[in-house]
């Protein structure tokens, strides 16, 4: 009887664990699918750029001549690579070669240089697709204010059609974007510094006023009011007027009554003849 009871309890416990195990397995299988689902949209400016999660790709139906923008986050120590594959319109619909370009900007919208990879590619009318890629420099933990080194924060990818026949603008194209990264904070260079906050686009917010120093008081004298505010303008105006008047009087005196000028109506004096 005791053995039968223990057997029944074991079966009940196993039956209760089955739904939990199934739900956990379904949740574990659903998460990677959601994270790896490619984005199907792209922005048309920095402000409307489509944000991509870590490891997320993008597959977008675009038109030739469109400006396409994506945004992703990079942390210190990472070295990111942007790969773009463009499936061009059918050769029968094109009227000439097309040039496509990929660029990467940081959170302050400064264009970042690429260490490897063709950022620009030109396809003749017989080419079916183009491949572009850009490998950024390693994201640094800190940098000097005057430098343009890549810092942790938001980065933007811009894909454009640099050169194409006017009749080809608007033709349908397919764009596939992949952003890969390697490295982590342990590989960050240079060491010994730390960025206070990630590099993100600046916002139009008023800067807080600087706090006044505790105990600091402005020293005041009896003549302080004479050289401050409206009194300063009156003082310099009156002083300038007085100086101008004196200069005018002096100039008039020198021009109308020069030294050594003879008086009018008096005959000239000649020296006596021997």
């Amino acid at each position: 009887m005791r053995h039968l009871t223990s057997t029944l309890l074991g079966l009940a416990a196993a039956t209760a664990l089955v739904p939990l195990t199934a739900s956990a397995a379904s949740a574990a299988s659903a998460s990677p699918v959601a994270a790896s689902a490619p984005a199907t949209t792209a922005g048309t400016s920095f402000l409307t750029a489509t944000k991509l999660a870590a490891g997320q790709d993008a597959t977008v139906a675009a038109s030739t001549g469109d400006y396409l923008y994506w945004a992703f986050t990079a942390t210190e120590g990472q070295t990111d690579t942007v790969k773009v594959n463009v499936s061009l319109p059918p050769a029968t619909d094109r009227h000439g070669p097309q040039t496509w370009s990929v660029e990467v900007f940081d959170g302050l919208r400064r264009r970042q240089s690429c260490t490897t990879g063709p950022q620009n590619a030109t396809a003749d009318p017989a080419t079916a697709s183009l491949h572009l890629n850009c490998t950024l420099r390693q994201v640094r933990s800190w940098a000097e204010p005057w430098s343009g080194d890549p810092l942790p924060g938001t980065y933007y990818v811009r894909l454009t059609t640099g050169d194409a026949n006017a009749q080809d603008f608007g033709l349908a194209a397919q764009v596939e974007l992949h952003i890969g990264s390697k490295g982590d904070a342990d590989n960050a260079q240079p060491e010994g510094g730390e960025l206070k906050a990630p590099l993100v686009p600046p916002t139009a917010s008023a800067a807080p006023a600087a706090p006044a120093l505790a105990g600091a008081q402005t020293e005041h004298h009896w003549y302080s009011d004479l050289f401050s505010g409206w009194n300063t303008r009156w003082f310099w105006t009156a002083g300038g007027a007085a100086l101008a008047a004196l200069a005018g009087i002096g100039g008039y005196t020198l021009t109308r009554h020069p030294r050594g000028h003879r008086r009018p109506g008096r005959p000239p004096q000649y020296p006596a003849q021997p």
Side-chain angles (χ1 to χ4, degrees), residues 133-148:
N133 68 80
C134 171
T135 300
L136 296 175
R137 294 172 294 169
Q138 185 188 73
V139 178
R140 301 163 63 100
S141 58
W142 66 279
E144 298 292 342
W146 47 262
S147 70

Side-chain angles (χ1 to χ4, degrees), residues 35-267:
S36 60
T40 57
T41 59
T44 56
S45 66
F46 286 103
L47 298 178
T48 60
T50 299
K51 296 182 180 180
L52 300 178
Q56 185 181 19
D57 297 337
T59 302
V60 179
S63 298
T64 304
D66 286 349
Y67 277 60
L68 306 178
Y69 289 81
W70 295 273
F72 66 96
T73 302
T75 59
E76 58 181 291
Q78 284 187 359
T79 301
D80 298 282
T81 300
V82 178
K83 296 182 179 180
V84 179
N85 181 38
V86 182
S87 299
L88 299 173
T92 55
D93 297 338
R94 285 180 278 163
H95 299 81
Q98 294 185 6
T99 301
W100 290 68
S101 303
V102 61
E103 300 170 286
V104 182
F105 302 82
D106 64 6
L108 299 182
R109 295 164 193 178
R110 300 176 301 183
R111 187 176 182 272
Q112 294 293 315
S113 59
C114 300
T115 58
T116 59
Q119 294 181 252
N120 308 295
T122 302
D124 54 35
T127 304
S129 62
L130 289 176
H131 303 280
L132 308 170
N133 68 80
C134 171
T135 300
L136 296 175
R137 294 172 294 169
Q138 185 188 73
V139 178
R140 301 163 63 100
S141 58
W142 66 279
E144 298 292 342
W146 47 262
S147 70
D149 295 332
L151 295 172
T154 303
Y155 284 78
Y156 297 89
V157 179
R158 180 172 70 183
L159 181 66
T160 58
T161 308
D163 186 20
N165 191 290
Q167 299 179 1
D168 293 342
F169 286 109
L171 295 179
Q174 189 77 11
V175 176
E176 297 177 359
L177 174 71
H178 172 75
I179 300 176
S181 62
K182 62 179 181 179
D184 51 24
D186 295 335
N187 308 116
Q189 295 291 335
E191 299 178 356
E194 182 179 357
L195 189 67
K196 293 184 178 180
L199 198 62
V200 296
T203 56
S205 60
L213 296 178
Q217 296 181 358
T218 304
E219 190 174 359
H220 185 79
H221 301 281
W222 63 270
Y223 53 82
S224 299
D225 295 337
L226 297 177
F227 301 96
S228 62
W230 285 96
N231 292 331
T232 303
R233 296 186 180 182
W234 287 109
F235 172 78
W236 288 110
T237 302
L243 292 176
L246 292 176
I249 295 173
Y252 176 80
T253 303
L254 293 176
T255 56
R256 297 293 297 175
H257 302 286
R259 181 177 300 177
H261 185 75
R262 67 182 180 86
R263 296 179 180 178
R266 186 176 181 178

